[in-house]
Amino acid sequence: MQAETLKRSVQKTATMRLIGLRSQECADKLDKVLSALPGVAQASVSLADENTTITFDTAKISVQRIQVAVADAGYEALKPVHGEDGNCCGGCGG
């Protein structure tokens, strides 16, 4: 019998820089796409800041899957950023 590995459910909030947003309609479209993903509790896309802040369940969806969904919608999401200046805060090793 194989041992089952259970993923632990953890809510995480990540901010990702977006490339390709041209208008508020683009931001609204992407917001709907991200909000509809299984495991996403909340998504907010900002045209002015060219980023999305997304809260998700790590047991149900990964950052990579979110990036794929963004790409499928016609945009690009860069690796999540942690510090206010867009650089890693150093606390996560990312």
Side-chain angles (χ1 to χ4, degrees), residues 15-90:
T15 299
M16 291 182 254
R17 296 219 185 275
L18 299 170
I19 297 174
L21 293 178
R22 304 270 188 256
S23 66
Q24 188 58 49
E25 290 79 22
C26 293
D28 292 343
K29 172 188 167 185
L30 188 55
D31 189 56
K32 287 179 186 176
V33 167
L34 294 174
S35 295
L37 292 172
V40 172
Q42 183 177 11
S44 175
V45 176
S46 170
L47 175 63
D49 296 330
E50 295 182 322
N51 70 25
T52 182
T53 301
I54 188 164
T55 302
F56 59 99
D57 183 336
T58 59
K60 296 180 181 176
I61 192 165
S62 66
V63 169
Q64 291 80 14
R65 176 62 188 106
I66 293 167
Q67 288 176 303
V68 168
V70 171
D72 288 348
Y75 311 100
E76 182 180 357
L78 303 180
K79 181 178 170 185
V81 294
H82 310 285
E84 289 180 21
D85 62 355
N87 294 309
C88 183
C89 62

